[in-house]
Amino acid sequence: AAGSLEERFGKSIRESGPCITTTSLTTVVCFAIGISSNLPGVSFFCMYATAVFFFGWLLQVTFFYACLVIDEKRIARSADCVTCCFTVTSNVDVEKQDPSSFKTDTAVQRAFGRYADVLLKPVVSLAVV
């Protein structure tokens, strides 16, 4: 990825920020309107949902991006993701390797593949529905 960390995250926020803000704002406004309901259960639910979506948006545009920047800096200094005080040395340049050489079929992918095969059988589909 070209550009400094600040440039990349600035571009990312410029592109995704308006979408995140628009969807969150419309959701908050819709639930805020629901607070005026005469039904106490609906009103309390809308109060809770308004606060949840507002603070979810606030954390998304502040804390989440800050965590991404911290993680990118960790990656840049080759620090381990679990024990970030240790650096990881690698003899392999991942960017120069052929993507087809990476092992892509993990145990979880195989398990979900079998699970999907079972779910797609007509008898199982009817039982689920």
Side-chain angles (χ1 to χ4, degrees):
S4 70
L5 184 65
E6 292 80 11
E7 290 172 350
R8 288 186 290 146
F9 275 93
K11 182 179 180 194
S12 168
I13 293 170
R14 276 193 303 276
E15 289 182 11
S16 64
C19 297
I20 293 169
T21 301
T22 302
T23 56
S24 296
L25 181 65
T26 55
T27 304
V28 166
V29 167
C30 288
F31 278 116
I33 291 170
I35 294 172
S36 65
S37 173
N38 291 332
L39 300 170
V42 172
S43 180
F44 288 135
F45 173 79
C46 288
M47 250 188 284
Y48 176 76
T50 299
V52 166
F53 281 100
F54 173 75
F55 286 109
W57 166 80
L58 187 64
L59 288 172
Q60 179 74 26
V61 298
T62 57
F63 184 74
F64 178 71
Y65 282 120
C67 287
L68 281 178
V69 169
I70 290 169
D71 192 49
E72 280 294 318
K73 288 180 179 179
R74 177 197 59 80
I75 291 169
R77 66 175 197 274
S78 299
D80 185 48
C81 64
V82 177
T83 56
C84 56
C85 51
F86 297 111
T87 56
V88 179
T89 57
S90 175
N91 300 353
V92 180
D93 188 3
V94 176
E95 292 180 2
K96 292 182 180 176
Q97 275 191 327
D98 180 26
S100 62
S101 68
F102 296 123
K103 182 179 178 186
T104 58
D105 195 23
T106 64
V108 174
Q109 288 172 327
R110 287 191 302 272
F112 274 103
R114 285 189 215 109
Y115 180 63
D117 291 340
V118 170
L119 280 180
L120 291 174
K121 292 183 181 180
V123 174
V124 177
S125 296
L126 285 174
V128 169
V129 172

